Amino acid sequence: MTGVSQATVSIVLNGRSEGEVRIAPETRDRVLRAIAETGYVADPVARRLAAGHNRIIGVFTYESVFPTSNSDFYHPFLVGIEQRAESLGSDLLLLTSAPVVDGRRRIFHEGNRLRLADGCVLLGRSLDREELARLLADGLHFVSIGRRDDAGGPVPYVGADYAAAVSALVHRAVRLGHTNLAYLGHGGPAESWADRMRGFTDTVSSLGVQGIHLPPATPAPAAVGGVGGGVAEVWERVRAAGVTAVFAEDHADGVALYQHAKQLGVPLSIATLGEPMRPGNESNVEFSGFRIPRQRMGAEAMDVLTALIEGNPTQTQRLLECELVVGETLVERK
Amino acid sequence: MTGVSQATVSIVLNGRSEGEVRIAPETRDRVLRAIAETGYVADPVARRLAAGHNRIIGVFTYESVFPTSNSDFYHPFLVGIEQRAESLGSDLLLLTSAPVVDGRRRIFHEGNRLRLADGCVLLGRSLDREELARLLADGLHFVSIGRRDDAGGPVPYVGADYAAAVSALVHRAVRLGHTNLAYLGHGGPAESWADRMRGFTDTVSSLGVQGIHLPPATPAPAAVGGVGGGVAEVWERVRAAGVTAVFAEDHADGVALYQHAKQLGVPLSIATLGEPMRPGNESNVEFSGFRIPRQRMGAEAMDVLTALIEGNPTQTQRLLECELVVGETLVERK
DNA sequence: TCAAGGGGCTAATACGAATTAGTAAACACT
DNA sequence: AGTGTTTACTAATTCGTATTAGCCCCTTGA
């Protein structure tokens, strides 16, 4: 159309016409006009092959991106990711082609397309350790949302500082007169749960108050509704130990226990360490706890990833502060 | 390592050694052994470049996919799209960066990345006719979610059969004794609204009952809350015409009118022809109407698009049946 | 002995951009 | 006029794989 060579188009397209290689402004305009008219876009695949990058960021989730049930757990993260992608001028590629094996998506599989993108944001409660190790070994650019333990090397991540948040809650409880606390939950296996429990255990021992660990009453991990029929049992153990403040790993567990105690007319302080999976408070009680800065996590993950891709990584492991929620359920000990 | 050519490796890798091109079993084993030893994996990028397509499906929305407010509207479509993408082994490229010109997003603009993908799903209440025409003219593969009129040629779409749904509701109203009906809404400009009104008008005239058309009281299109302060006016016209059943294009309009009539203690049947924009019924009345099969629309759009891309299009214009909601607001005429 | 007919493999090319070496033309300066 | 120097571009190569035309060698048959 313009009578120029492919090389010229490439140079114009990549805005290199001002540096070492120069193109006359008129020629450049002619090319740009033709591009605008035809809507031409460089093939990302060829681009990636030739240049090694294509301004596409992959988003890999271990569950569906657009979930049916647990209303938008990912949503806030994605808002942050999308915002940053837009300002960076990158497109987002949802790696939905990864097949589900044994109930979870696998990154590595025959025909995995991770390399189509310049880098990848990993989203999921728990990431497979072996896959992380392989990502590191293969030298692929990626960031995990949520802290991860080393996997044959340090894993780049942007996580929430659960340990600090829980610690702050414990401090508050102690300030309110509680000296007999309990952590209700598994404390694992994902790093996020472990961090919460560590925050509890460390703070309790450093403050010299009593802190016990209660496993949730419902052992089945797939069971919904948290504590389920076992609230009564948990309650018994809480009473027996003389606990006056409970830190519930799972929001639903905390809610159930709170309502149980309230029905019995016994005062019990509760802090929940996870956000409700479903929006809309069943009861309209605001639970004490903290808020995970999801949107910011998404945005910062993009920052880390960009830096990684461009070869000047700074602070590839970040923990963001959670916002404390005072709420109504963590109150002075009577 | 094995002393064979790159071509041989490619052939072995793709298991073509039994067809037209043949490789001796011993050679094949030697290659396979070397592959196993080195852990070699074909570069997916080069693979895609050679293959000519990239198994990327673009998703174009006239608004951001992840904004907090209107995500609920798109969500079900996206669930369907993602599900199908997964089973088709495609990745999804979010084309959210379209700039807003004259109050609406444009597909074609400087730097649009539409051609990145093999094809594209278009999502939005109303699509620009010229842009559709250009998509057709350029021979780009795409499907619209929602029926579209021809734009210099037939537009591939997967829509909801609003005409049939409204028709069914009108039939029900007549069966319940109503003979004086009204359609409350613009009946345009988008195809989806026109279809609803056509369903009403056609059915009313074929059944030989009276059916009038009432424009919504709030003329400003941007105004939220539907009928707003104009309910009273609408109500006057309904009374004056002796209408006993109203078909409200906009959900909010229907709700407002229903409540107005209820307050006055006058029986009035209402059917709403659009789903509420915000979840959570303000009042806990279940309105009569229908449900749009959004998730299925998303999935079938992917089917149509895939067929289009692969060059064997079948049924590129589909209307899916809506599920009728009996509800409590369309009742027997007293 | 020579042609015909496979089997088994490779050289060459395509895919679509990015990059680099190089070249022609214009210009500057002695 | 001769010798740099700059400007503005293009030809050629590269990335890693898929594909195809074709080559060589071994059989077979007359």
Side-chain angles (χ1 to χ4, degrees):
Chain A
M1 278 181 66
T2 55
V4 301
S5 71
Q6 176 261 320
T8 306
V9 176
S10 173
I11 291 165
V12 170
L13 210 56
N14 295 309
R16 301 197 313 141
S17 47
E18 299 302 324
E20 266 299 283
V21 189
R22 327 197 65 189
I23 300 290
E26 8 170 337
T27 310
R28 200 196 50 206
D29 290 345
R30 208 147 34 89
V31 171
L32 287 177
R33 216 174 311 125
I35 287 176
E37 275 177 38
T38 57
Y40 169 84
V41 185
D43 182 332
V45 176
R47 207 163 181 163
R48 174 117 182 98
L49 184 59
H53 62 81
N54 56 12
R55 292 201 150 286
I56 290 180
I57 301 294
V59 177
F60 184 92
T61 59
Y62 273 90
E63 293 96 35
S64 294
V65 181
F66 303 111
T68 340
S69 59
N70 57 353
S71 184
D72 305 292
F73 175 74
Y74 290 127
H75 195 270
F77 294 122
L78 291 168
V79 172
I81 292 173
E82 194 194 11
Q83 280 177 352
R84 211 51 131 241
E86 200 168 324
S87 62
L88 290 171
S90 313
D91 287 311
L92 291 182
L93 185 65
L94 302 186
L95 276 339
T96 48
S97 64
V100 177
V101 180
D102 296 335
R104 71 161 32 174
R105 275 199 178 138
R106 321 267 342 170
I107 300 181
F108 291 102
H109 64 278
E110 188 192 7
N112 97 76
R113 325 252 314 254
L114 251 199
R115 300 184 127 92
L116 280 186
D118 291 344
C120 189
V121 177
L122 264 36
L123 233 57
R125 269 166 218 299
S126 64
L127 303 182
D128 190 289
R129 196 64 142 294
E130 286 177 36
E131 296 203 308
L132 283 180
R134 176 140 178 215
L135 283 170
L136 282 172
D138 287 6
L140 293 173
H141 298 305
F142 72 98
V143 198
S144 153
I145 289 200
R147 189 183 79 73
R148 306 295 164 190
D149 293 330
D150 279 18
V155 176
Y157 63 74
V158 175
D161 197 344
Y162 294 120
V166 173
S167 179
L169 285 174
V170 170
H171 270 102
R172 238 191 102 230
V174 171
R175 229 179 295 125
L176 289 168
H178 296 276
T179 54
N180 204 334
L181 319 179
Y183 182 90
L184 178 62
H186 296 101
E191 286 87 346
S192 55
W193 306 127
D195 287 355
R196 286 172 231 244
M197 186 143 104
R198 183 164 45 76
F200 176 81
T201 309
D202 289 359
T203 311
V204 151
S205 78
S206 86
L207 291 181
V209 298
Q210 188 156 359
I212 62 169
H213 172 213
L214 298 176
T218 330
V224 204
V227 127
V231 210
E233 197 185 317
V234 172
W235 170 246
E236 273 318 308
R237 301 188 58 172
V238 166
R239 284 221 78 172
V243 166
T244 60
V246 173
F247 296 78
E249 199 172 74
D250 184 65
H251 184 80
D253 279 6
V255 173
L257 189 57
Y258 180 81
Q259 287 172 338
H260 191 82
K262 189 162 194 177
Q263 254 178 354
L264 296 179
V266 184
L268 180 64
S269 276
I270 300 270
T272 59
L273 314 182
E275 289 181 63
M277 284 301 89
R278 344 172 106 222
N281 246 328
E282 307 79 49
S283 56
N284 42 13
V285 174
E286 191 187 28
F287 279 80
S288 305
F290 52 82
R291 223 163 268 135
I292 305 168
R294 294 213 190 103
Q295 190 167 330
R296 233 186 93 214
M297 286 167 74
E300 290 215 20
M302 289 292 286
D303 292 341
V304 171
L305 186 54
T306 308
L308 231 35
I309 291 169
E310 286 172 359
N312 50 354
T314 46
Q315 267 254 57
T316 57
Q317 301 195 322
R318 304 186 189 179
L319 284 182
L320 307 187
E321 199 181 341
C322 296
E323 183 197 343
L324 287 191
V325 174
V326 175
E328 319 163 24
T329 60
L330 180 52
V331 295
E332 198 161 354
R333 180 187 170 195
K334 286 162 197 165
Chain B
M1 278 181 67
T2 56
V4 299
S5 71
Q6 177 261 321
T8 305
V9 176
S10 173
I11 292 164
V12 170
L13 211 56
N14 296 310
R16 301 198 312 141
S17 46
E18 298 303 324
E20 267 299 282
V21 189
R22 327 197 68 193
I23 301 290
E26 9 172 338
T27 309
R28 199 195 53 206
D29 290 346
R30 209 147 32 92
V31 172
L32 287 176
R33 216 174 310 127
I35 289 176
E37 276 177 37
T38 57
Y40 169 85
V41 185
D43 181 342
V45 178
R47 233 173 160 148
R48 292 263 71 87
L49 181 58
H53 58 264
N54 54 25
R55 286 194 158 287
I56 292 178
I57 301 295
V59 178
F60 184 92
T61 57
Y62 274 88
E63 292 97 36
S64 275
V65 183
F66 298 122
T68 340
S69 61
N70 55 9
S71 68
D72 291 319
F73 178 74
Y74 288 124
H75 197 270
F77 295 121
L78 292 169
V79 171
I81 291 173
E82 190 191 358
Q83 280 177 352
R84 210 52 130 237
E86 183 175 322
S87 60
L88 291 171
S90 307
D91 294 315
L92 296 179
L93 185 68
L94 302 184
L95 300 165
T96 51
S97 53
V100 178
V101 180
D102 296 335
R104 74 162 34 170
R105 296 202 177 244
R106 321 240 18 146
I107 299 180
F108 291 102
H109 65 278
E110 186 191 10
N112 89 80
R113 322 242 297 163
L114 205 53
R115 296 184 134 88
L116 287 192
D118 290 341
C120 187
V121 177
L122 265 36
L123 231 58
R125 271 166 218 297
S126 65
L127 303 181
D128 190 286
R129 195 65 141 292
E130 285 177 36
E131 297 204 306
L132 284 179
R134 174 144 180 212
L135 284 170
L136 283 172
D138 287 5
L140 294 174
H141 298 304
F142 73 98
V143 198
S144 152
I145 289 200
R147 187 182 80 73
R148 307 294 163 191
D149 291 331
D150 278 17
V155 176
Y157 63 76
V158 175
D161 197 344
Y162 295 120
V166 173
S167 178
L169 284 174
V170 171
H171 270 103
R172 238 189 101 230
V174 172
R175 229 179 295 125
L176 288 169
H178 297 276
T179 53
N180 204 333
L181 319 178
Y183 182 91
L184 177 62
H186 297 100
E191 286 88 345
S192 56
W193 304 127
D195 287 355
R196 286 171 231 246
M197 186 143 104
R198 183 165 44 77
F200 175 82
T201 310
D202 288 359
T203 312
V204 151
S205 79
S206 87
L207 291 180
V209 297
Q210 187 156 358
I212 64 168
H213 172 213
L214 298 175
T218 329
V224 204
V227 128
V231 209
E233 196 185 318
V234 172
W235 170 247
E236 273 318 308
R237 301 188 58 173
V238 165
R239 285 220 79 172
V243 166
T244 58
V246 174
F247 295 78
E249 201 172 71
D250 184 64
H251 184 80
D253 279 6
V255 173
L257 189 58
Y258 180 81
Q259 288 172 339
H260 191 82
K262 190 162 193 177
Q263 255 178 353
L264 297 179
V266 185
L268 179 64
S269 275
I270 300 270
T272 60
L273 312 182
E275 291 182 60
M277 285 301 89
R278 345 172 104 220
N281 245 327
E282 307 81 49
S283 56
N284 43 13
V285 175
E286 191 186 25
F287 279 79
S288 304
F290 52 82
R291 221 163 270 137
I292 304 167
R294 294 212 190 106
Q295 190 168 330
R296 233 185 93 214
M297 286 167 75
E300 289 213 20
M302 289 291 286
D303 292 340
V304 170
L305 186 54
T306 307
L308 231 36
I309 292 169
E310 286 172 358
N312 51 353
T314 46
Q315 267 255 56
T316 57
Q317 302 194 321
R318 304 186 188 179
L319 286 181
L320 307 186
E321 199 180 341
C322 296
E323 183 197 343
L324 288 190
V325 175
V326 173
E328 318 163 25
T329 60
L330 179 53
V331 295
E332 201 160 352
R333 180 187 171 198
K334 286 164 197 165

